Amino acid sequence: MVLQNPPVSRTRSFSTVFLIEMWERFGFYGMQVLMVTYMIKKLGFADTKGNLVWGAAAALIYATPAIGGWVGDKLIGTRRTMLTGAVVLALGYAMLWVPSDSEYLLYVSLGVIIVGNGFFKPNAGNLVRKIYEGDDTKIDSAFTIYYMAVNIGSTASMLLTPWIRDHVGARYGAVWGWHTAFGVCAIGLLLGLANYALMHRTLAHIGSPPDSTRLSMKRAAGVLLAAVAMVFVSAFILQSENVARICVYAAGVVILGIFIHLIRSSESNERAGLVAALVLTVQTIFFFIFYQQMSTSLNLFAQKNVDLSFNLFGWHLFDWIPEQFQSLNAIWIVALSPVLVWAYNGLGRLGKDPSVAAKFAWGFGAVAAGYFMYGLGSHTAVNGQISSWYMVWGYGLYSLGELLVSGLGLAMIARYVPARMGGFMMGAYYVASGISQYLGSVVANFASIPRDVSDPLVSLPIYTRLFNQLGFAGVACTLIAMAMLPLMRRLSASHSDVATHHDPFPASRSEEGYDNPIH
């Protein structure tokens, strides 16, 4: 909703959201790239525990925006909720800045980050939609640029914070290295907030209805109390593996049960769409299981079994820090996005633009090839370490799959699910994405390495066995997606009128829940 006639250009309004989003992603990914390694190397967690704690945190990070969007739309306003989220995130990163070996401080800090992310993520994207509301020709290009902000911020921080950790640690000790790196994430958010303070007037006319009214202290106090409670509930869940497992699996059973109830109680002409939505949700869960490996098993694989030197034709180019390999995902997305846009536009002019179901199949095929790449690298490994170039190409294939698959789930749900069920389906999709983050960490633990094992020759076959199994799982997902093609064609034909007049829900990209611009 636009509250009044805009007194400033849309470009200036968009720039304000773009910049705070860029700094927010800088902080989040700077933290994420280090977190699992921090828990294992600094706090002494076993790799299985580190993976599961981060998996539970990621599950909550993905699920809470469904609540944060409602808070912004109905209670305190989209702008206020986004700003609150940025402040809370800065506080969470600042808490990680404090030198401490306390596990509980870690859990509370992650709880603060979970709440801040829930407030920030959906409302920043909603502001972009409101800025360009009613102008479909510009909103796609706006989200293309917005998507670049995500990747610019994440690439910069994933390269920078591991470097800061190592260089500060070498001079002042490992403790200060870790916590200074987390401190840089807080500084990134503070820079974003400072910029927002200078430019906030450009958004004065944009927001949800509560933004145009005086803030209700009663509502604000209620939101504050609920946020504080959620911080400690999150910390409680994170510190107990059993509680986390029960919450995740119970959420999955509830969602499945509601799906079955909706399918059984729906009209006959609605049932096929709901079944398709269920299958697509399951496929999306598998996609995010693949995604979660980047911060867990692939990260630990880079620590133990990847040659960190980049050499080309005998020339040494540079060395990387193991965590920095995670930045390859964002780098490849920036590189591949314009290529796919060009390809889709060309196919569209020829009337051969592939269906979203076909993109699902292609995407899972690319993901499968990416995971097989790591197994292939093991055949040329030297002393248990594969060439860093296998990581480059493995991440490249996975990122291609992400661009093809990511964002399609909610768009297809919006197309095939009755409007009266749309709100539930969007929430269910976010929760399912969160469940898959935890399941991804469970899968990563199939490649757990005993603490007394440091020989790369021992750990290499353990990791590559998992990656090959994930490759075969990707092949299975490809075959399922191909088998779904005839059903999707029939649904597309029968729902074409609905799709034409129905705006899709915001897509949930693997990171962040933002529109993938190339769809």
Side-chain angles (χ1 to χ4, degrees):
M1 173 181 176
V2 179
L3 302 181
Q4 64 185 64
N5 292 327
V8 294
S9 72
R10 288 176 170 181
T11 302
R12 290 185 63 193
S13 300
F14 173 76
S15 297
T16 303
V17 183
F18 173 94
L19 289 170
I20 194 169
E21 168 65 23
M22 183 182 72
W23 284 113
E24 188 277 328
R25 290 292 92 183
F26 176 93
F28 180 81
Y29 278 99
M31 176 275 299
Q32 177 182 282
V33 77
L34 295 175
M35 184 51 65
V36 172
T37 317
Y38 170 75
M39 288 188 281
I40 293 171
K41 291 189 174 182
K42 174 67 165 52
L43 299 183
F45 287 15
D47 60 355
T48 51
K49 182 178 179 180
N51 286 338
L52 290 176
V53 169
W54 177 245
L60 292 168
I61 284 168
Y62 271 73
T64 50
I67 303 172
W70 177 78
V71 171
D73 283 341
K74 304 296 184 183
L75 296 183
I76 64 174
T78 304
R79 289 198 315 273
R80 293 185 186 121
T81 309
M82 181 192 74
L83 183 61
T84 301
V87 172
V88 173
L89 282 167
L91 175 62
Y93 302 138
M95 291 171 67
L96 290 173
W97 198 346
V98 177
S100 172
D101 289 331
S102 169
E103 287 187 25
Y104 193 70
L105 178 60
L106 169 69
Y107 299 139
V108 173
S109 301
L110 287 173
V112 172
I113 291 167
I114 287 162
V115 170
N117 181 80
F119 283 147
F120 184 92
K121 183 164 68 174
N123 291 290
N126 283 340
L127 282 177
V128 175
R129 292 181 186 90
K130 293 174 189 295
I131 289 169
Y132 292 98
E133 194 169 53
D135 191 345
D136 292 339
T137 60
K138 289 188 177 180
I139 195 166
D140 285 345
S141 60
F143 269 108
T144 300
I145 300 170
Y146 190 65
Y147 195 72
M148 296 297 286
V150 170
N151 290 290
I152 290 169
S154 61
T155 301
S157 62
M158 286 192 286
L159 292 173
L160 181 62
T161 55
W163 182 87
I164 288 174
R165 178 205 59 195
D166 283 6
H167 282 72
V168 173
R171 176 167 292 190
Y172 299 105
V175 171
W176 282 108
W178 284 108
H179 295 285
T180 302
F182 289 129
V184 168
C185 301
I187 291 171
L189 261 294
L190 292 176
L191 290 172
L193 286 166
N195 184 79
Y196 183 83
L198 294 173
M199 301 178 67
H200 72 280
R201 289 182 181 85
T202 64
L203 291 174
H205 60 289
I206 304 294
S208 57
D211 280 306
S212 61
T213 61
R214 186 168 183 169
L215 179 63
S216 166
M217 290 298 103
K218 184 177 180 181
R219 285 186 176 184
V223 170
L224 176 61
L225 289 174
V228 172
M230 185 62 195
V231 167
F232 289 101
V233 168
S234 298
F236 176 70
I237 292 172
L238 295 178
Q239 71 178 351
S240 173
E241 182 181 327
N242 288 332
V243 171
R245 185 185 301 113
I246 290 170
C247 289
V248 168
Y249 295 154
V253 170
V254 169
I255 290 175
L256 180 61
I258 295 176
F259 255 118
I260 294 171
H261 171 71
L262 290 176
I263 291 169
R264 292 179 62 184
S265 61
S266 62
E267 301 292 334
S268 58
N269 61 334
E270 298 173 337
R271 199 158 295 152
L274 287 169
V275 172
L278 175 59
V279 174
L280 289 169
T281 301
V282 172
Q283 286 185 324
T284 301
I285 287 176
F286 275 98
F287 170 76
F288 282 109
I289 288 173
F290 295 127
Y291 176 81
Q292 183 69 350
Q293 303 312 307
M294 286 191 289
S295 57
T296 53
S297 62
L298 276 171
N299 174 29
L300 299 177
F301 177 63
Q303 308 273 343
K304 299 178 176 69
N305 291 107
V306 176
D307 180 356
L308 304 178
S309 297
F310 280 87
N311 302 298
L312 188 63
F313 303 121
W315 289 86
H316 177 68
L317 302 178
F318 54 87
D319 293 335
W320 256 10
I321 299 167
E323 291 91 346
Q324 289 178 324
F325 283 97
Q326 294 176 63
S327 69
L328 287 168
N329 178 233
I331 292 170
W332 272 112
I333 285 174
V334 171
L336 292 172
S337 291
V339 176
L340 284 183
V341 169
W342 173 82
Y344 289 159
N345 288 341
L347 290 169
R349 284 191 295 269
L350 297 173
K352 297 182 179 179
D353 189 25
S355 67
V356 286
K359 292 173 187 175
F360 249 110
W362 293 355
F364 277 117
V367 168
Y371 277 99
F372 283 134
M373 185 64 67
Y374 308 121
L376 180 65
S378 67
H379 295 293
T380 59
V382 178
N383 297 323
Q385 293 189 319
I386 71 169
S387 168
S388 54
W389 292 108
Y390 283 104
M391 297 292 283
V392 172
W393 297 115
Y395 267 92
L397 287 164
Y398 170 82
S399 301
L400 174 61
E402 177 179 336
L403 284 169
L404 290 164
V405 172
S406 172
L408 293 177
L410 278 176
M412 295 184 77
I413 286 172
R415 178 177 296 178
Y416 300 126
V417 171
R420 60 188 172 82
M421 302 178 186
F424 163 75
M425 290 301 304
M426 183 168 66
Y429 188 89
Y430 278 119
V431 173
S433 299
I435 291 170
S436 65
Q437 298 293 316
Y438 186 80
L439 294 178
S441 293
V442 172
V443 169
N445 281 345
F446 287 123
S448 64
I449 307 297
R451 290 192 181 191
D452 59 346
V453 172
S454 58
D455 186 353
L457 293 172
V458 176
S459 58
L460 179 63
I462 297 175
Y463 282 119
T464 53
R465 181 167 58 249
L466 171 64
F467 299 146
N468 285 332
Q469 289 169 346
L470 287 169
F472 285 116
V475 170
C477 289
T478 303
L479 296 175
I480 292 171
M482 291 175 65
M484 288 284 292
L485 284 174
L487 171 62
M488 290 303 175
R489 290 193 188 101
R490 291 196 298 273
L491 285 170
S492 294
S494 61
H495 290 261
S496 57
D497 290 338
V498 176
T500 301
H501 297 95
H502 191 87
D503 292 330
F505 293 126
S508 178
R509 186 188 165 246
S510 43
E511 74 95 275
E512 34 266 272
Y514 300 127
D515 277 339
N516 187 331
I518 64 173
H519 301 307

